Amino acid sequence: MPASLEPVEILPGVLWLRVDQPFALDHVNCYLVEDYGGWTLVDTGIGGEIGSRQWDALLNGPLRGTRITRILTTHAHPDHIGAAGWLSRRFDAVIYSNADELNRLRHMLRSFDPAEASRNAAFYRMHGLAGEAADALSLQDHRYAAFVDELPADIRHLTSSEVLDIGGRQFAVIIGRGHSPCGMLYRSLDGTVCFSGDQILSSITPLIGVWAENADENPLDDYLSFLASVPVQISDAALVLGGHQMPFKDAAARALSIRRHHEERCAIIRSFCGDEGRSVGDIIPVLFPKAKGEMSIGFAFGEVLAHMHYLAARGELDTGRAGDWAIQFTRTNP
């Protein structure tokens, strides 16, 4: 892992940067790929005051004289796209994303709506969160808005059929759903490298969650489908450069390990629900006994509900209500 704000060359023509962030996961990996007459940046870190201060230090220090010609984002979470607007204006660089990612981001950045916040809080209470925790989680998206700089109107939308030429090297766009609506990975056609964002990481599993804003979705099913496709899409010899932690190889083995992790969590949830039924709030302490604080509990809630949605869609859990509020899940086949 490079020291904070000290770029290292991880491959010929590829620089690896570690940008800090004020969260439990305290860094983001960004990459610069040598391009025609400049550099293509893959992900940016957070925006706002923290982001601009870090990028000023980079561009006035170890990256002095570097010209960023375009910005590829892997997904539209604040720690990956947050500084894109600031950097785009500084270099007149085009940002690459896609419509589904940007639509979810715009929903996050929308003006505060008290009525919507009240509906969201009711959703979390129905799933077993205490009133104070439900109220805090209903406002979580708005707090993230401080870490995203204003984006330009002209953003280049990518699809899975595209191949990008970066400095003479060809990169295919892979769409990976689950962690975000339509995440993008960039795989070199020569099989040497893949920029994976958060979709597949070396030693942690990306957050797969359901909250009020995507309450009807089944992102874990999407994510497991992506993992099943990894052996076909990413060469075992490719160096996988993720959005956090260390580079790694043998993406297929890592994908299998992550699939088993989710299968184990599903088995725990199914067993714990039993015949009596359990809410999301009941299961959070079982799967995440160390979850404390608003952000940690919010992530745990999303993960648990995503697994319950997946099991319900497979017919392994039934959904019902206990009284006027609590939504509970029961095991269908004891």
Side-chain angles (χ1 to χ4, degrees), residues 40-328:
T40 287
L41 174 65
V42 181
D43 284 341
T44 70
I46 60 172
E49 181 182 348
I50 296 172
S52 60
R53 185 169 65 244
Q54 291 190 93
W55 276 104
D56 266 332
L58 280 163
L59 295 169
N60 292 318
L63 295 180
R64 180 183 295 274
T66 297
R67 178 171 171 260
I68 296 173
T69 55
R70 53 183 163 176
I71 300 165
L72 305 186
T73 61
T74 58
H75 57 299
H77 288 172
D79 53 335
H80 295 264
I81 200 172
W86 187 88
L87 287 163
S88 174
R89 285 185 288 276
R90 178 156 180 162
F91 290 100
D92 193 25
V94 176
I95 298 170
Y96 290 63
S97 183
N98 68 49
D100 289 341
E101 287 291 320
L102 293 171
N103 286 340
R104 182 63 58 84
L105 179 64
R106 291 186 183 106
H107 183 76
M108 177 190 296
L109 301 179
R110 69 204 180 284
S111 299
F112 176 69
D113 181 346
E116 183 178 17
S118 178
R119 290 193 298 272
N120 290 348
F123 172 85
Y124 297 122
R125 287 195 296 271
M126 283 193 296
H127 280 288
L129 280 192
E132 184 175 329
D135 290 341
L137 187 52
S138 71
L139 302 174
Q140 187 164 268
D141 273 0
H142 297 286
R143 297 192 178 101
Y144 290 142
F147 300 107
V148 181
D149 296 322
E150 183 180 357
L151 292 166
D154 185 19
I155 293 178
R156 172 91 150 74
H157 292 180
L158 293 171
T159 67
S160 59
S161 62
E162 296 195 52
V163 174
L164 302 176
D165 180 349
I166 305 178
R169 288 178 282 192
Q170 308 301 307
F171 286 83
V173 178
I174 301 172
I175 297 298
R177 294 180 171 85
H179 177 64
S180 66
C182 200
M184 293 154 291
L185 299 82
Y186 305 97
R187 171 183 62 86
S188 66
L189 295 187
D190 64 7
T192 60
V193 63
C194 178
F195 299 99
S196 67
D198 288 357
Q199 195 70 2
I200 181 167
L201 299 166
S202 61
S203 58
I204 59 174
T205 59
L207 175 64
I208 311 297
V210 171
W211 297 275
E213 65 268 19
N214 65 329
D216 297 326
E217 296 179 6
N218 185 0
L220 182 55
D221 187 58
D222 292 334
Y223 186 57
L224 293 176
S225 295
F226 162 76
L227 292 176
S229 76
V230 165
V232 176
Q233 300 208 70
I234 304 175
S235 165
D236 287 346
L239 186 63
V240 181
L241 301 179
H244 306 277
Q245 298 194 313
M246 299 297 290
F248 64 98
K249 291 188 176 183
D250 199 351
R254 180 60 185 143
L256 179 59
S257 174
I258 297 173
R259 288 172 67 188
R260 287 173 174 164
H261 163 81
H262 286 293
E263 289 166 1
E264 290 168 2
R265 289 201 162 182
C266 285
I268 292 170
I269 290 172
R270 192 171 177 276
S271 175
F272 189 70
C273 284
D275 300 327
E276 298 179 2
R278 306 285 183 175
S279 69
V280 175
D282 293 330
I283 293 179
I284 287 175
V286 176
L287 282 186
F288 299 95
K290 296 181 180 180
K292 306 292 181 184
E294 174 189 325
M295 180 176 288
S296 182
I297 291 173
F299 287 169
F301 178 96
E303 279 268 349
V304 170
L305 187 53
H307 285 75
M308 291 173 127
H309 274 200
Y310 175 75
L311 288 167
R314 288 171 57 89
E316 297 181 42
L317 291 181
D318 276 336
T319 306
R321 288 200 177 200
D324 294 333
W325 285 98
I327 296 175
Q328 295 193 331

